[in-house]
Amino acid sequence: MDRTILLIGCGKMGMALLNGWLNKNYKKNKIIVIETNSEICNDLKNKDINCYNNLDFFTGKYNDLIIVFAVKPQVLEEVLINLKKIEIKNAVYLSIVAGIRVDFLTKYLGEDKYIYRAMPNIPAEVSEGITAIYKKNNALEQNSIFVEGLMNSVGKSIWVECEKDIDIVTAVSGSGPAYFFYLTECLTKICNSMGLNKDLSQTLSIQTIIGSSELLKVTKKSPQTLRNNVTSKGGTTEAAINTLMKNKIFEEVIRNAVLAAKKRSEELSKN
Ligand SMILES: NC(=O)c1ccc[n+]([C@@H]2O[C@H](COP(=O)([O-])OP(=O)(O)OC[C@H]3O[C@@H](n4cnc5c(N)ncnc54)[C@H](OP(=O)(O)O)[C@@H]3O)[C@@H](O)[C@H]2O)c1
């Protein structure tokens, strides 16, 4: 845990990671944040976090440095160009930037560098994220353990063998929270249209998704088992599920959505 972490970008996801590390007792004085947003930067300084607006101060003279990129994809190239001007030895690099391949990072950082790419998701903000991690073929075990520890600070993580699997992960878990939020929005809207007021409709829908998630988590039963448990023959749930399953209508809608996200992830990675 004694490595120095340089976090570049502390917006939604960078902040989730930073909070996760602090909750897991990574030392404050071993974390440096670069964040161009002065409001965020000042907030962090008030919490005794070393935060700077740019890399000007950074000498790179740290042992066991890990640099985490958490900026938007369109900003990354500029960050890499600035980083290249600094002499940095023995660093490990971890990028959570969507759609940016390891090849792109290697081009700026160097062929021999230890580079990891990860795809977390936004439940990381409440330590319930799931991250897929991909490592370059020169990875060292102690670095991989450290990187996994960083990502496990905000939930769970899995390793993927091929970088192209990150496109699948992006489409399923990266974008996935939005699918569940949208399902909740739809339920709310339908409930409201059937006659319950908006607030009640929202409470029913939100608590249903929270309760169902909690059941999955606590009981560790499969989604299918839990569904079967609440689907009595000839009952109301069966009437609804039969409608969703008819001609795999619901599955196909979800499939098309996930495929669209995967296609977009592949397109973005080509740029
Ligand atoms: N949010 C997610 O659910 C999610 C999931 C998986 C992966 N990711 C990836 O995580 C990365 C960050 O996403 P985000 O949602 O956290 O975005 P975000 O909220 O916009 O955070 C990025 C932060 O970086 C700052 N920044 C811009 N240029 C910078 C620079 N040169 N040096 C240091 N900081 C700089 C931005 O400040 P300004 O606002 O002033 O520009 C902003 O505060 C993205 O690449 C995204 O693909 C996000």
Side-chain angles (χ1 to χ4, degrees), residues 52-67:
Y52 304 85
N53 287 124
N54 56 53
L55 278 164
D56 290 353
F57 84 98
F58 192 70
T59 60
K61 292 194 177 69
Y62 295 85
N63 288 324
D64 279 341
L65 178 67
I66 174 146
I67 301 183

Side-chain angles (χ1 to χ4, degrees), residues 7-17 33-38 40 52-55 69-76 78-79 82 95-100 118-123 125 130 170 173-175 177:
L7 172 65
I8 306 183
C10 198
K12 288 181 284 299
M13 195 48 84
M15 189 66 84
L17 286 171
V33 178
I34 310 292
E35 170 56 60
T36 47
N37 182 312
S38 341
I40 297 177
Y52 304 85
N53 287 124
N54 56 53
L55 278 164
F69 300 110
V71 291
K72 290 279 188 202
Q74 58 273 24
V75 182
L76 185 66
E78 176 201 318
V79 169
N82 288 332
S95 167
I96 63 155
V97 181
I100 300 288
M119 178 49 59
N121 66 358
I122 205 64
E125 279 187 6
I130 176 78
T170 304
S173 55
S175 303

Side-chain angles (χ1 to χ4, degrees), residues 14-26 124 127 150 153-154:
M15 189 66 84
L17 286 171
L18 176 63
N19 287 331
W21 300 334
L22 295 173
N23 288 338
K24 292 284 177 188
N25 297 324
Y26 284 74
S127 308
L150 287 180
S153 305
V154 290

Side-chain angles (χ1 to χ4, degrees), residues 197-245:
N197 75 39
K198 263 191 180 165
D199 281 355
L200 285 182
S201 303
Q202 185 144 314
T203 304
L204 281 179
S205 307
I206 291 177
Q207 189 53 35
T208 300
I209 197 165
I210 293 174
S212 308
S213 308
E214 197 64 16
L215 261 183
L216 279 166
K217 185 176 171 181
V218 173
T219 65
K220 297 196 167 50
K221 288 182 181 160
S222 73
Q224 194 181 0
T225 301
L226 289 174
R227 173 172 57 77
N228 286 336
N229 287 351
V230 291
T231 312
S232 322
K233 203 135 192 60
T236 56
T237 310
E238 189 189 61
I241 293 289
N242 283 347
T243 308
L244 292 174
M245 286 185 163

Side-chain angles (χ1 to χ4, degrees), residues 153-196:
S153 305
V154 290
K156 295 187 167 62
S157 52
I158 57 162
W159 288 88
V160 292
E161 294 287 325
C162 313
E163 192 173 7
K164 65 178 171 46
D165 290 348
I166 292 279
D167 293 319
I168 303 174
V169 171
T170 304
V172 175
S173 55
S175 303
Y179 312 157
F180 292 95
F181 298 141
Y182 185 56
L183 178 64
T184 313
E185 280 178 69
C186 289
L187 261 184
T188 303
K189 210 189 233 175
I190 294 160
C191 182
N192 183 221
S193 72
M194 290 192 298
L196 289 197

